Amino acid sequence: TRVPSSPQIQLRLLRRPQRRTKEYKHKLTINMGRAFEYRKATKLKRWGHMARTFTKLGKEITIAAREGGPDPDSNPRLRTLIQQCKKENMPKDNIDRAIKKATDKSYEGYKEINYEGYGPHGIAIFVETATDNNMRTVANIRSYFTKHGGTLGTQGSLQFLFDRKACFTVTMKDGIDLDELELELIDFGVEELGVDEEENTIVMYSDFDQASSLQKYLEDNGFEIQSCEFVRIPNDTKTLTDEQRESVQKLIDRIEEDEDVQNVFTNLAD
């Protein structure tokens, strides 16, 4: 379904200034940017499936605990994921099980594998999975593309069509100067920053490679991080008719139903 635009998010696009002063900083205030369009559409769609969300977050916790250790105090990624789970009312038992699974000696671990291809009408589709059986996953993904008029391509074939970003959502602080915050965050790769007045949060998109340094800055400066998601924003989008959109959406829905799939990104215009 098509997601209506929302007036609740004011987006500030950041441009790196010649000097770090307000008079040299070029700001543009618009109703919505491409990153926030993505956030709005996926948020309304994804969080409507609570069980699916818990499964996805559980896998992310297990992967983070496996890679960085089970102690959230010494594992920044795990720390933000736990905070996100609490925000989404994920039961504590689910969180504990996901962490425990990472420390189980019999657990071989999930493999994070991406699949890239084109759906009907030339829509680019980028699929992120976390699987314990790659043969099963690739067979399933390939069959979905084939049955719905798409073509599964080679890994890396669509990388150039998407920008990978880290999306942080933090609780608004009383008395904060957004202009000063913008200037500070430029050094941490933040390119888009907005205020969600409905949820009283600040949403920011940074370079993927600077996610760790941005998280450290936010924690050191007393910001409550509600979530941190890694997303792929299309460089350009493609508009289809309602009939064409329906055929593409059937493929996307089928892919998202697969238990191994974590995220699906496309260049389909909302």
Side-chain angles (χ1 to χ4, degrees):
T1 57
R2 191 161 186 147
V3 180
S5 59
S6 168
Q8 296 297 330
I9 300 177
Q10 180 188 46
L11 178 67
R12 297 166 182 261
L13 294 182
L14 307 188
R15 297 291 182 268
R16 186 172 296 278
Q18 293 176 344
R19 296 206 303 263
R20 289 195 59 198
T21 57
K22 291 183 182 179
E23 55 265 34
Y24 279 90
K25 185 179 181 195
H26 175 58
K27 293 193 302 180
L28 175 64
T29 301
I30 61 177
N31 181 50
M32 195 71 68
R34 63 189 178 96
F36 280 75
E37 283 284 357
Y38 162 81
R39 175 178 181 265
K40 172 192 57 175
T42 55
K43 178 182 174 184
L44 291 177
K45 180 178 181 181
R46 184 178 56 203
W47 299 136
H49 304 279
M50 192 62 68
R52 180 78 180 85
T53 299
F54 289 170
T55 299
K56 174 192 168 185
L57 289 174
K59 281 189 176 182
E60 290 188 9
I61 285 177
T62 300
I63 293 170
R66 182 81 167 187
E67 293 179 350
D71 183 1
D73 290 336
S74 59
N75 186 335
R77 178 59 182 156
L78 180 60
R79 192 160 60 243
T80 59
L81 281 170
I82 291 175
Q83 186 63 29
Q84 184 175 346
C85 290
K86 291 178 179 178
K87 179 177 179 291
E88 299 303 331
N89 297 315
M90 183 172 173
K92 185 176 183 299
D93 287 347
N94 293 36
I95 299 173
D96 293 340
R97 277 199 304 270
I99 295 175
K100 186 177 180 180
K101 186 173 184 178
T103 60
D104 190 331
K105 293 182 179 180
S106 63
Y107 169 65
E108 296 183 359
Y110 291 113
K111 292 183 179 179
E112 295 181 279
I113 303 174
N114 301 329
Y115 299 95
E116 303 158 56
Y118 285 94
H121 312 293
I123 294 298
I125 300 177
F126 197 109
V127 184
E128 294 180 344
T129 71
T131 178
D132 55 6
N133 187 330
N134 183 40
M135 296 295 290
R136 176 192 66 217
T137 305
V138 67
N140 287 342
I141 298 298
R142 187 181 303 279
S143 70
Y144 304 151
F145 273 90
T146 301
K147 291 178 182 178
H148 290 82
T151 305
L152 185 63
T154 58
Q155 289 188 347
S157 60
L158 299 185
Q159 292 276 7
F160 71 99
L161 291 178
F162 297 87
D163 290 332
R164 197 170 192 201
K165 301 291 182 182
C167 175
F168 283 85
T169 301
V170 302
T171 303
M172 176 71 75
K173 292 170 65 175
D174 291 338
I176 191 170
D177 187 327
L178 289 176
D179 291 332
E180 292 296 333
L181 179 62
E182 286 179 353
L183 288 171
E184 289 290 331
L185 293 179
I186 287 174
D187 287 343
F188 297 93
V190 174
E191 299 171 344
E192 300 185 26
L193 180 149
V195 176
D196 188 332
E197 296 176 351
E198 189 176 273
E199 298 188 3
N200 195 36
T201 57
I202 302 173
V203 183
M204 57 195 74
Y205 284 80
S206 76
D207 292 335
F208 173 76
D209 293 339
Q210 292 189 264
S212 295
S213 60
L214 176 57
Q215 179 177 338
K216 185 177 186 305
Y217 169 86
L218 293 171
E219 291 178 338
D220 289 348
N221 287 273
F223 285 94
E224 178 190 354
I225 300 176
Q226 294 191 6
S227 67
C228 172
E229 299 177 86
F230 299 135
V231 300
R232 298 179 191 272
I233 308 299
N235 293 319
D236 196 12
T237 57
K238 189 171 183 177
T239 302
L240 300 181
T241 66
D242 289 344
E243 184 177 351
Q244 291 172 331
R245 288 177 62 88
E246 185 176 351
S247 64
V248 175
Q249 194 61 52
K250 286 181 180 179
L251 171 56
I252 296 172
D253 290 344
R254 186 66 189 91
I255 295 172
E256 289 182 331
E257 289 172 0
D258 192 290
E259 64 179 8
D260 295 330
V261 172
Q262 292 291 90
N263 294 296
V264 180
F265 304 101
T266 79
N267 66 342
L268 177 62
D270 292 316

